């Protein structure tokens, strides 16, 4: 069953169109991630679901209840939706405990117990209860904001770039903690981010936004492997995109002959491969693939990203492409290499 349904949502701020014909279903208990570049309309969409913005057209339902349509609108405080805005937005004049307990109706000892439980669930030490927001790190503030939102026992949790202020190590740890916490609580969640690796790892369902439009949605692995267009392909990771002649299930391109996974309506098309589908070796034991030379080596510890210029090139002589190699075994710049591919090439529909 779908918890949240968005139908044909439109929103403009004066001449600026922020959302255009957004349709999205969020299954109950899922983690949906909305990813897109800055200014693509992500925050506007979350604020609309929370009830702080109103659509110019379209409707929104949660568990079968209409939240907004042309004739009525449920106010934000009656939606039972938890919302953690981008900056956490803690009340600066309230302690951690008061922030978390803000929406609780319990009084006395039950209230204190509930606050302690919520602090524990977001891994905040009990000794922090009487601190002020300005005495907390960015990560701690985000956890207080999350605990405050969880206190409402929301039907849906909205998180706007919750990890963006954290450094890389803490970010991954927080992401795991929040994912586990929300799964344990069984809360349907929508997370917004502009970080593709965060999106791919957190999501059950991924929705890509660009310029106010939702350009593609589905399981993260499908979007990564079968993007609808080049921009989405490149937004979700490094990609090798090149022209090819398509014939009877094969793409003939500057890398030789590669099997394709779909039909093309045109005899030529753009194909996409992920760098991890390319393999290099120093000798050609394989008649497929093609020869090239390493022109750049970017050492990244456990993996190394190589730029390889291909020799034979029907479409573009000297075409360069990215290949990943095990860091310590990567060939040096100037080495002659043989490049072969693994799996299928994806035909980009655009
Ligand atoms: N209150 C507002 N008034 C005018 N323009 C706005 C307002 N909120 C957002 N916008 C515009 O709408 C677009 C989408 O913004 P936003 O939803 O914040 O994007 P994102 O969260 O993806 O960065 C941007 O062009 C932004 O400038
Ligand atoms: Mg935003």
């Amino acid at each position: 069953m779908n918890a949240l349904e968005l139908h044909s949502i439109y929103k403009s701020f004066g001449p600026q169109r922020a959302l255009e014909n957004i349709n999205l279903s969020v299954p109950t208990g899922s983690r949906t991630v909305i990813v897109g570049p800055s200014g693509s309309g992500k925050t506007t969409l979350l604020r609309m679901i929370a009830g702080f913005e109103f659509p110019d057209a379209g409707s929104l339902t949660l568990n079968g209840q209409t939240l907004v349509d042309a004739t009525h609108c449920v106010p934000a405080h009656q939606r039972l939706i938890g919302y953690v805005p981008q900056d956490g937005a803690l009340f600066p004049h309230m302690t951690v405990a008061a922030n978390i307990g803000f929406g609780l109706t319990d009084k006395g000892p039950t209230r204190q117990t509930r606050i302690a439980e919520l602090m524990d669930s977001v891994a905040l030490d009990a000794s922090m209860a009487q601190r002020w927001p300005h005495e907390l790190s960015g990560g701690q503030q985000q956890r207080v904001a999350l605990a405050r939102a969880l206190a409402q026992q929301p039907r849906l949790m909205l998180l706007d770039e919750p990890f963006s202020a954290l450094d890389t190590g803490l970010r991954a740890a927080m992401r795991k903690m929040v994912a586990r916490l929300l799964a344990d609580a069984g809360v349907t969640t929508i997370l917004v981010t502009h970080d593709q690796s965060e999106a791919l790892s957190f999501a059950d369902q991924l929705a890509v936004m660009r310029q106010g439009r939702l350009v593609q949605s589905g399981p993260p692995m499908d979007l990564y492997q079968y993007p609808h267009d080049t921009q989405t392909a490149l937004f979700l990771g490094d990609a090798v995109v090149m022209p090819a002649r398509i014939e009877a299930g094969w793409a003939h391109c500057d890398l030789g002959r590669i099997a394709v996974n779909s039909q093309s309506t045109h005899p030529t098309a753009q194909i996409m491969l992920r760098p991890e589908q390319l393999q290099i070796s120093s000798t050609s034991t394989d008649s497929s693939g093609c020869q090239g030379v390493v022109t750049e080596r970017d050492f990244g510890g456990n993996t190394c990203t190589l730029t390889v210029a291909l020799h034979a090139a029907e479409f573009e002589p000297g075409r360069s492409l990215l290949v990943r190699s095990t860091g310590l075994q990567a060939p040096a710049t100037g080495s002659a290499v043989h490049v072969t591919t693994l799996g299928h090439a994806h035909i980009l529909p655009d």
Side-chain angles (χ1 to χ4, degrees), residues 2 26 35 38-39 55 76 82 92-93 98 100 132 154 199 212 232 240 253 262 267 306 320 327:
N2 290 324
V26 176
V35 68
S38 185
H93 59 289
I100 294 174
W132 300 99
T232 305
V240 172
C253 63
S262 58
L306 303 172
S320 285

Side-chain angles (χ1 to χ4, degrees), residues 1-5 25-30 62-65 188:
M1 186 191 149
N2 290 324
L4 183 73
E5 299 270 4
S25 297
V26 176
T28 302
S30 72
L62 181 60
N63 300 340
Q65 179 198 9
T188 309

Side-chain angles (χ1 to χ4, degrees), residues 50-68:
F52 303 123
E53 298 286 357
F54 304 94
D56 300 333
S59 68
L60 233 155
T61 61
L62 181 60
N63 300 340
Q65 179 198 9
T66 300
L67 296 182
V68 176

Side-chain angles (χ1 to χ4, degrees), residues 216-299:
Q216 195 174 354
S217 63
M221 217 181 266
D222 284 5
L223 267 66
Y224 184 74
Q225 292 185 90
Y226 316 120
H228 285 174
D229 54 42
T230 309
Q231 270 177 290
T232 305
L234 293 171
F235 190 72
L236 295 178
D238 288 334
V240 172
V241 176
M242 60 172 79
R245 276 184 294 112
I246 311 295
E247 266 171 34
W250 296 92
H252 299 268
C253 63
D254 288 347
L255 274 167
R257 192 179 78 139
I258 308 171
V260 289
N261 58 1
S262 58
Q263 304 282 334
S264 171
T265 48
H266 298 287
T268 58
Q270 294 287 322
I271 57 162
M272 183 210 78
L273 292 156
R274 294 295 181 186
E276 56 273 24
Q277 287 181 268
L278 301 178
Q279 283 197 317
I280 47 168
S281 55
S282 52
T283 50
S284 58
T285 51
D286 195 336
S287 61
S288 68
C290 67
Q291 305 290 332
V293 62
V294 177
T295 55
E296 228 180 287
R297 203 172 100 132
D298 184 4
F299 181 64

Side-chain angles (χ1 to χ4, degrees), residues 42-43 86 160-161 192:
K42 307 180 298 296
T43 295
Q86 202 160 346
D160 196 350
E161 310 223 11
V192 153

